[in-house]
Amino acid sequence: MTLPPDAPQTPPQTAPQTAPRPGLAYRPEIDGLRAIAVGAVVLYHFGLAGLSGGFVGVDIFFVISGYLIGGILWAELGATGRLSFRRFYERRLRRLAPAYLAVALTSLVVGWLVLLPFEFREFGKELVAATLWFSNIFYWREAGYFDIGAEHRVLLHTWSLSVEEQFYLVLPATLWLMLRLLGRPGAVMAALTLLWAVSAALCLWASRADPTAAFYLFPFRAWELLSGVLLAIAGQQWPHRTRPASPRAAAALAWAGLALLALALGFVQSAGFPGWQAALPVAGTGLLLAATGSGGGGLVARALRLPPVRFVGLISYSLYLWHWPVLVLSREWRGPQAAHGLLAEAGWIALTLALAALSWRFVEQPVRQGRFWRGWRVFVPAGLALGAVAGAGVGLWKAEGLPGRFDPAVRAYVEASGDFLQDWSRCTTLAEGPLAGLEGCAIGPEGPPRVLIWGDSHLRALMDGLAEAGTRTGVAGLILWRAGCPPVFGLEKDETAATAPQNRACGAANRQIRAALPALKAAGVERILLVGRWSYYAEGAGIGLDGQNRIALAPGPDGDAAIGAAPDAAGRMAAALDLTLAEMGAVFGPANLWLFRQPPELPAFDSRTLAAALAHGRIDEAGAAARGRVSAADLSARVARAEAPLRALAAAGALRLIDPWPWLCAPDGGSCGAFGRDPAAGPGPRVLYFDTNHLTNAAARMLAAAGLFDAALAGSAASQAAGAASEAAGDGDG
């Protein structure tokens, strides 16, 4: 099959320093565009002020990649009427695998030296995902409240490479099949345009409904790559129609494209991205590609063709690969207190540039141009090397990140830093009943739940302990938790640590739970336990290391007059709690309502930070222990407004309090801390906190073993035993 006569023939190569591109002449200004893209990403990640949208460099890459790969495939179809899939994927493998393997292996060695076991285990999973080109899916699935955080993800940047490779898994076959079925280039363009529109519409929708999916997943990003593909095909099929009418018009288009890129780099915000904001870098890149395609573009094109700019573009793939591991691993080694301004980072940027240049010269180029790395011969060694890297990742994962690398004095903090992962096999999105659509986790024996446990991330932290208590008491329960969402009726929240859809989902879920109370009672639920970070909601902010987190509470559509009349967040929280307990008490009876007192907050404590500081000699054991303690006076000031209404309600018989403080504070009440005696762990103190306010799984199991949850789960029969256990407490290491 051949294209119409106006399809271009394969021009000669004009740039021996780049890999052969069938059907495309070398365009130096494209390397200049690559330099803008990679420079923006690198400087943004290293903290350059005034570059709020530097991350859109990835979107520039998407358009360029679609333009070049789509152009190569279309030119091959035009010249031969067919596609060599083997040759296409051979080129992709030679292009991507060598530099990636160099970065992955170097990161593996350096990670062994600086990463904590939990981080190193997660790095092993990252290695597998990145090597098999599904890291975007991995990071989408892993994103969440207790994710280790982008700043600890060594291969996070490979998500964009996975998006590209997933696109190129389907693009060659799609073009070939469309041309066979539709017959004419115009019909193929129309079909591709339809796919572009569908992907763009999905992107706009998902950017509001599920921003994480919109950011990471291929279907929501395909329109950006298709923009380049459509531009390349149009330029080859109808060059006279798509070429600027004059050099002056080309220059104007180039300036317009550059202005759009500048606008995107300087003003685009991460909130709601990609969404409509992604149109700025996509349109700007498309205009620059179109304006400079015939050698025009004026001053802008000449600047893009400058040798230093082009060189940065030539090494852009290696530069992109190296910059993020250098940033993450260097900061893991330096610690969070190290200066991170641009001047302080200049040396690390210089190291990144040096590694990229060396990688391009001695890894990328020899493999792309070497004769041995041609044809089928490339697949066997590349497959073996990639398989070995993926196997190493599996090994790290199974070996729990090799904790034996660290001194025993560090182990307690190291163990706490990873002690929040749990068994989610009994967690699912409820498919039926009054709570359908909410995520719930079953505990205890199989069967209808007798206890509803409702809360925020503090409940998630207690899940292992509650599960053990449910099994021991023989009481089935249902856990409903949502991060940063107060378990009360009548409020809406606006939290800085959450997205707008997550904030809206909190209020919607709480209203659904409120409406479900009678049906839950009819279905067999007998008791309710509330778990929350009450001081956070009453004060409107975190404390210490998480003091940057803010939450604002406002009356919701299901609120009452008392909530609306309250003068501040503490008053609104107290009024909402009154409303919640009154409605629950009317259905289940006040004697069946329980509330878990929030564990003491430790403003200066973070197990991961302290584990790394101890491991790398930035702090001694005494200094680490001091950060894990807080005085009774400081605690009283923090919890006063949050706990006053709780105690009043308990005194009035509207609820029953579960108090974990005797296990977390010194017997004399002088201070509370992150350290306690866990009989299950053997002699010696154990770190029982993950961060400033979340307990570890070990702490949750310790509280369960002490019988702290039994009364709330099993009812009055367990109340006396739980009370006796509480009175006997007081041997905590505090």
Side-chain angles (χ1 to χ4, degrees), residues 11 15 34 44 150 157 164 175 252 256 280 292 309 327 524 526 532 547 599 611 621 651 653 665 697 726 731:
R34 285 193 178 111
Y44 170 77
H157 60 321
E164 286 195 30
L175 288 178
L280 293 175
T292 59
V309 179
L327 178 67
E526 302 169 3
E621 291 182 61
C665 301
N697 294 332
S726 181
D731 59 348

Side-chain angles (χ1 to χ4, degrees), residues 77-396:
L77 279 169
T80 67
R82 58 186 179 85
L83 289 177
S84 172
F85 293 98
R86 179 198 58 76
R87 188 165 61 243
F88 175 79
Y89 291 113
E90 171 205 336
R91 289 196 305 266
R92 296 304 298 165
L93 195 59
R94 285 191 288 109
R95 167 68 169 146
L96 299 175
Y100 166 74
L101 287 169
V103 170
L105 291 172
T106 304
S107 299
L108 182 63
V109 173
V110 178
W112 186 87
L113 297 172
V114 304
L115 292 179
L116 298 178
F118 172 70
E119 295 162 347
F120 207 32
R121 178 186 64 191
E122 292 300 295
F123 173 69
K125 293 158 68 175
E126 290 183 80
L127 268 182
V128 176
T131 302
L132 300 179
W133 307 116
F134 66 86
S135 60
N136 61 324
I137 300 172
F138 170 75
Y139 294 123
W140 165 63
R141 291 179 60 88
E142 292 286 304
Y145 193 83
F146 281 89
D147 180 31
I148 69 170
E151 69 275 14
H152 303 286
R153 293 288 193 185
V154 180
L155 298 177
L156 178 67
H157 60 321
T158 62
W159 74 268
S160 63
L161 305 179
S162 294
V163 169
E164 286 195 30
E165 292 318 298
Q166 289 159 20
F167 182 76
Y168 296 132
L169 280 176
V170 300
L171 180 64
T174 298
L175 288 178
W176 178 81
L177 188 60
M178 280 184 172
L179 198 56
R180 286 186 63 89
L181 295 177
L182 301 176
R184 301 292 298 176
V188 174
M189 283 286 286
L192 289 174
T193 302
L194 178 61
L195 291 177
W196 179 95
V198 170
S199 175
L202 288 173
C203 176
L204 289 172
W205 168 78
S207 295
R208 285 182 56 84
D210 191 346
T212 304
F215 187 86
Y216 282 120
L217 298 186
F218 152 63
F220 309 114
R221 294 290 196 147
W223 69 276
E224 299 184 43
L225 291 117
L226 279 172
S227 296
V229 173
L230 288 166
L231 183 62
I233 293 176
Q236 290 185 31
Q237 282 301 129
W238 306 283
H240 300 297
R241 300 179 190 175
T242 57
R243 192 173 297 160
S246 66
R248 180 173 295 180
L253 285 178
W255 279 110
L258 190 63
L260 286 174
L261 291 188
L263 188 65
L265 295 172
F267 297 100
V268 163
Q269 301 295 318
S270 59
F273 195 86
W276 67 268
Q277 295 183 98
L280 293 175
V282 171
T285 306
L287 287 175
L288 282 166
L289 288 171
T292 59
S294 57
L299 180 61
V300 173
R302 290 196 294 273
L304 293 175
R305 297 181 190 121
L306 290 172
V309 179
R310 285 195 300 111
F311 179 73
V312 174
L314 287 171
I315 67 170
S316 60
Y317 175 58
S318 280
L319 184 54
Y320 182 77
L321 278 178
W322 282 106
H323 89 280
W324 187 253
V326 168
L327 178 67
V328 171
L329 293 171
S330 70
R331 289 185 175 178
E332 290 287 344
W333 175 62
R334 289 179 286 164
Q337 303 306 316
H340 298 317
L342 186 59
L343 289 178
E345 304 288 6
W348 297 103
I349 294 176
L351 174 62
T352 302
L353 285 167
L355 289 170
L358 292 170
S359 177
W360 174 77
R361 174 63 182 84
F362 296 107
V363 179
E364 278 194 70
Q365 292 299 92
V367 173
R368 293 178 69 185
Q369 297 179 354
R371 290 188 175 182
F372 175 78
W373 300 91
R374 301 287 175 184
W376 62 268
R377 289 174 296 185
V378 73
F379 291 98
V380 174
L384 291 173
L386 292 169
V389 169
V394 173
L396 288 179

Side-chain angles (χ1 to χ4, degrees), residues 625-643:
R627 293 193 187 184
R629 297 186 186 278
V630 62
S631 71
D634 288 341
L635 274 174
S636 295
R638 171 65 174 174
V639 304
R641 296 205 303 168
E643 293 198 344

Side-chain angles (χ1 to χ4, degrees), residues 296-683:
L299 180 61
V300 173
R302 290 196 294 273
L304 293 175
R305 297 181 190 121
L306 290 172
V309 179
R310 285 195 300 111
F311 179 73
V312 174
L314 287 171
I315 67 170
S316 60
Y317 175 58
S318 280
L319 184 54
Y320 182 77
L321 278 178
W322 282 106
H323 89 280
W324 187 253
V326 168
L327 178 67
V328 171
L329 293 171
S330 70
R331 289 185 175 178
E332 290 287 344
W333 175 62
R334 289 179 286 164
Q337 303 306 316
H340 298 317
L342 186 59
L343 289 178
E345 304 288 6
W348 297 103
I349 294 176
L351 174 62
T352 302
L353 285 167
L355 289 170
L358 292 170
S359 177
W360 174 77
R361 174 63 182 84
F362 296 107
V363 179
E364 278 194 70
Q365 292 299 92
V367 173
R368 293 178 69 185
Q369 297 179 354
R371 290 188 175 182
F372 175 78
W373 300 91
R374 301 287 175 184
W376 62 268
R377 289 174 296 185
V378 73
F379 291 98
V380 174
L384 291 173
L386 292 169
V389 169
V394 173
L396 288 179
W397 179 13
K398 296 298 184 182
E400 294 294 323
L402 302 174
R405 294 173 293 141
F406 294 97
D407 187 90
V410 187
R411 296 273 179 84
Y413 294 88
V414 166
E415 289 173 5
S417 72
D419 192 25
F420 63 85
L421 291 182
Q422 296 153 330
D423 179 8
W424 293 82
S425 61
R426 298 188 69 188
C427 298
T428 185
T429 299
L430 304 175
E432 56 186 21
L435 300 177
L438 300 183
E439 294 182 4
C441 300
I443 63 167
E446 298 291 341
R450 293 169 54 196
V451 180
L452 174 67
I453 309 167
W454 178 30
D456 56 16
S457 60
H458 278 214
L459 172 54
R460 196 269 203 196
L462 294 176
M463 192 164 71
D464 274 14
L466 288 164
E468 289 191 2
T471 300
R472 185 177 63 253
T473 59
V475 177
L478 176 65
I479 286 177
L480 297 177
W481 77 277
R482 190 176 293 268
C485 186
V488 294
F489 303 143
L491 287 178
E492 294 285 339
K493 66 113 173 180
D494 183 7
E495 187 182 18
T496 57
T499 64
Q502 288 170 335
N503 285 328
R504 292 192 296 269
C506 169
N510 290 359
R511 288 190 291 275
Q512 183 176 351
I513 293 170
R514 183 181 190 180
L517 294 180
L520 292 172
K521 174 69 172 178
V525 172
E526 302 169 3
R527 287 172 294 282
I528 292 183
L529 169 61
L530 302 179
V531 180
R533 188 183 179 186
W534 309 110
S535 62
Y536 177 53
Y537 305 128
E539 299 301 323
I543 189 171
L545 294 179
D546 87 321
Q548 77 283 357
N549 291 328
R550 297 286 189 273
I551 186 167
L553 303 179
D558 59 336
D560 61 9
I563 296 175
D568 54 20
R572 286 188 285 275
M573 188 65 199
L577 195 58
D578 281 339
L579 170 66
T580 303
L581 292 173
E583 293 200 9
M584 289 182 168
V587 177
F588 299 95
N592 292 313
L593 304 182
W594 298 78
L595 187 143
F596 187 80
R597 187 186 185 192
Q598 174 189 325
E601 292 173 309
L602 311 178
F605 187 81
D606 180 76
S607 62
R608 183 186 294 123
T609 301
L610 291 175
L614 281 167
H616 303 312
R618 296 193 299 269
I619 196 173
D620 59 19
E621 291 182 61
R627 293 193 187 184
R629 297 186 186 278
V630 62
S631 71
D634 288 341
L635 274 174
S636 295
R638 171 65 174 174
V639 304
R641 296 205 303 168
E643 293 198 344
L646 301 182
R647 296 188 182 281
L649 288 164
L655 61 82
R656 301 187 183 192
L657 278 174
I658 299 175
D659 188 0
W661 287 40
W663 284 266
L664 302 170
C665 301
D668 59 6
S671 68
C672 297
F675 317 99
R677 302 282 177 180
D678 181 3

